[in-house]
Coordinates of all heavy atoms in Angstrom, one line a residue:
I239 N 84.1 -37.7 61.2 CA 83.4 -36.6 60.8 C 84.5 -35.5 60.5 O 84.4 -34.7 59.4 CB 82.5 -35.9 62.0 CG1 81.7 -34.8 61.4 CG2 83.3 -35.5 63.2 CD1 80.6 -34.3 62.2
V243 N 84.6 -33.4 57.0 CA 84.8 -31.9 56.9 C 86.1 -31.7 56.0 O 86.0 -30.8 55.2 CB 85.0 -31.4 58.3 CG1 85.4 -29.9 58.3 CG2 83.7 -31.5 59.1
N253 N 82.1 -23.2 55.4 CA 81.7 -23.7 56.7 C 80.1 -23.9 56.8 O 79.6 -24.8 57.4 CB 82.1 -22.7 57.8 CG 83.4 -22.9 58.2 OD1 84.3 -23.6 57.5 ND2 84.1 -22.2 59.2
E254 N 79.4 -22.9 56.2 CA 77.9 -22.9 56.2 C 77.4 -24.1 55.4 O 76.5 -24.8 55.9 CB 77.3 -21.7 55.8 CG 77.5 -20.5 56.7 CD 78.8 -19.9 56.7 OE1 79.7 -20.2 55.7 OE2 79.3 -19.4 57.7
I256 N 79.1 -26.9 54.7 CA 79.4 -28.1 55.3 C 78.6 -28.4 56.5 O 78.2 -29.5 56.8 CB 81.0 -28.0 55.8 CG1 81.9 -27.8 54.7 CG2 81.4 -29.3 56.7 CD1 83.4 -27.6 55.1
A257 N 78.2 -27.3 57.3 CA 77.3 -27.5 58.3 C 75.9 -28.0 57.9 O 75.4 -28.9 58.5 CB 77.1 -26.2 59.1
D258 N 75.5 -27.5 56.9 CA 74.1 -27.9 56.3 C 74.3 -29.4 55.8 O 73.4 -30.1 56.1 CB 73.7 -27.0 55.1 CG 73.3 -25.7 55.7 OD1 73.0 -25.5 56.7 OD2 73.3 -24.8 54.7
N259 N 75.3 -29.7 55.3 CA 75.6 -31.0 54.7 C 75.6 -32.1 55.7 O 75.1 -33.3 55.7 CB 76.9 -31.2 53.9 CG 77.0 -32.3 53.0 OD1 77.3 -33.3 53.5 ND2 76.8 -32.2 51.7
L260 N 76.3 -31.8 56.9 CA 76.5 -32.7 58.0 C 75.5 -32.5 59.1 O 75.5 -33.3 60.1 CB 77.9 -32.5 58.6 CG 79.0 -32.9 57.6 CD1 80.4 -32.8 58.2 CD2 78.9 -34.3 56.9
H261 N 74.6 -31.6 59.0 CA 73.5 -31.4 59.9 C 74.0 -31.1 61.3 O 73.6 -31.6 62.4 CB 72.5 -32.7 60.0 CG 72.1 -33.1 58.6 ND1 71.3 -32.2 57.8 CD2 72.2 -34.3 57.9 CE1 71.0 -32.9 56.7 NE2 71.6 -34.1 56.8
V262 N 75.1 -30.2 61.3 CA 75.6 -29.7 62.6 C 75.6 -28.1 62.6 O 75.2 -27.6 61.5 CB 76.9 -30.2 62.9 CG1 76.9 -31.8 63.0 CG2 78.0 -29.8 61.9
S263 N 76.0 -27.5 63.6 CA 75.9 -26.1 63.7 C 77.3 -25.5 63.1 O 78.3 -26.3 62.9 CB 75.9 -25.5 65.1 OG 77.2 -25.9 65.8
S264 N 77.3 -24.2 62.5 CA 78.5 -23.6 62.0 C 79.6 -23.6 63.0 O 80.8 -23.6 62.8 CB 78.2 -22.2 61.5 OG 77.3 -22.2 60.4
G265 N 79.1 -23.4 64.3 CA 80.2 -23.4 65.5 C 80.9 -24.7 65.6 O 82.1 -24.7 65.8
S266 N 80.1 -25.9 65.3 CA 80.8 -27.1 65.5 C 81.8 -27.3 64.2 O 82.9 -27.8 64.4 CB 79.7 -28.2 65.3 OG 78.9 -28.2 66.5
I267 N 81.4 -26.7 63.1 CA 82.4 -26.9 62.0 C 83.7 -26.0 62.2 O 84.8 -26.5 61.9 CB 81.8 -26.3 60.7 CG1 80.5 -27.2 60.2 CG2 82.6 -26.3 59.4 CD1 80.9 -28.7 60.1
Y270 N 85.8 -28.2 64.3 CA 86.3 -29.3 63.4 C 87.5 -28.7 62.7 O 88.6 -29.4 62.6 CB 85.5 -29.9 62.5 CG 84.3 -30.6 63.2 CD1 83.0 -30.7 62.8 CD2 84.5 -31.5 64.4 CE1 81.9 -31.3 63.5 CE2 83.5 -32.2 64.9 CZ 82.2 -32.1 64.6 OH 81.2 -32.7 65.2
V314 N 76.7 -37.7 59.3 CA 77.2 -38.5 60.3 C 76.0 -38.9 61.3 O 75.2 -38.0 61.5 CB 78.2 -37.7 61.2 CG1 78.6 -38.4 62.4 CG2 79.4 -37.4 60.3

Side-chain angles (χ1 to χ4, degrees):
I239 190 170
V243 170
N253 280 4
E254 290 72 23
I256 297 173
D258 289 341
N259 192 285
L260 299 180
H261 308 297
V262 297
S263 69
S264 295
S266 294
I267 298 302
Y270 295 136
V314 175

